[in-house]
Amino acid sequence: MQSSLAITALMMGVLGGPHCVAMCGAACAGLGQAAGERRAQALLAFQLGRLAGYSLLGAVAAASVQGLGWLTTQSAAIRPVWTLLHLTALVLGLLLML
């Protein structure tokens, strides 16, 4: 189990490299050129901002799903939506395996 998890993480890292280059490469290069002497500070601020932004969006997504899960326990009408969300995540996972 641990080796398959490690291989999956490695593959995501290697295959996600082009995404990172395309999304952040130009921004990092532009910041590095524009900042001049304060290049290291500018790049550090950029990376910390990215980290904070992704963390905040992840927290918002998690809170939204948790709120929807709580709502399904309170209202029977929402349960089919919750079930459909789980089925959609399962189908997405199966498609990603292909």
Side-chain angles (χ1 to χ4, degrees):
M1 177 67 181
Q2 295 296 334
S3 62
S4 64
L5 189 61
I7 291 170
T8 302
L10 176 69
M11 288 177 58
M12 288 176 67
V14 169
L15 296 175
H19 166 79
C20 294
V21 168
M23 294 297 293
C24 297
C28 285
L31 280 173
Q33 292 294 326
E37 293 179 7
R38 297 177 32 173
R39 179 180 181 187
Q41 292 173 338
L43 291 176
L44 180 63
F46 175 72
Q47 297 298 341
L48 290 175
R50 269 188 54 232
L51 180 65
Y54 281 123
S55 298
L56 181 65
L57 289 175
V60 168
S64 299
V65 171
Q66 182 182 10
L68 184 60
W70 175 83
L71 194 58
T72 61
T73 62
Q74 305 300 319
S75 172
I78 305 293
R79 285 192 190 121
V81 175
W82 187 243
T83 303
L84 184 62
L85 181 69
H86 281 87
L87 288 175
T88 304
L90 177 66
V91 169
L92 177 64
L94 291 172
L95 286 174
L96 288 174
M97 284 180 20
L98 296 175

